[in-house]
Amino acid sequence: LTRKLQVEKENIVLVGMPSSGKTTLASALTSHFDHKVIEVDEEIVKKAGMSIPDIFAMYGETAFRDLESEVCEQLSLQTHQIISTGGGSVLRKENRDSLRRNGYVVYIDRPIEDLLVGGNRPLSTSKEALQKMFEVRDSLYHSASDCVIKNNRNIEDTIEEIVEVITVRGKL
């Protein structure tokens, strides 16, 4: 009963590399949990009034990370959400602390070769850039998370494992 109440109230936070599947999985999890989906990157865009590539181009990565920290802090004060973070949300300790404050953090670990290059991701310019990013971030994803879910199979199996971990096993 205690675990059921905790699952109903706490946030479910998905962290991982850009294009690891966080957004897709967050949407799919709504069929199992009565939580609202929040995209950190979308919240940053709303707050800034411009796209992420424009933020990077006009103000640089530090300004983007400052906005990201503000959004993470605001989201940590709310409950009942599935939060899909940006790939770099774990770079700052204050963000990791904010996301863990009221959330169960799931590291979505997808093989580098399955990650996408480009798109609306200003730092994902090549497979080499993704590899370097992974080398910096992997340990941060692990330290920030309560569990690690491999996203290297069909979405239904991945969702089933996430649901099982959250509802049955609890914090690992």
Side-chain angles (χ1 to χ4, degrees), residues 106-164:
V106 180
Y107 173 15
I108 305 301
D109 187 9
R110 187 173 184 99
I112 295 288
E113 59 272 10
D114 294 340
L115 301 178
L116 302 175
V117 173
N120 202 26
R121 301 173 178 95
L123 299 179
S124 301
T125 55
S126 67
K127 287 291 183 184
E128 294 78 22
L130 286 171
Q131 181 62 43
K132 287 179 184 173
M133 207 182 293
F134 177 79
E135 290 167 7
V136 169
R137 296 179 182 182
D138 183 54
S139 63
L140 297 173
Y141 294 135
H142 278 283
S143 70
S145 64
D146 294 299
C147 72
V148 178
I149 301 293
K150 298 283 186 188
N151 189 13
N152 58 354
R153 60 200 162 193
N154 69 56
I155 189 169
E156 293 82 13
D157 291 343
T158 305
I159 290 295
E160 185 178 310
E161 185 178 359
I162 293 170
V163 170
E164 180 182 342

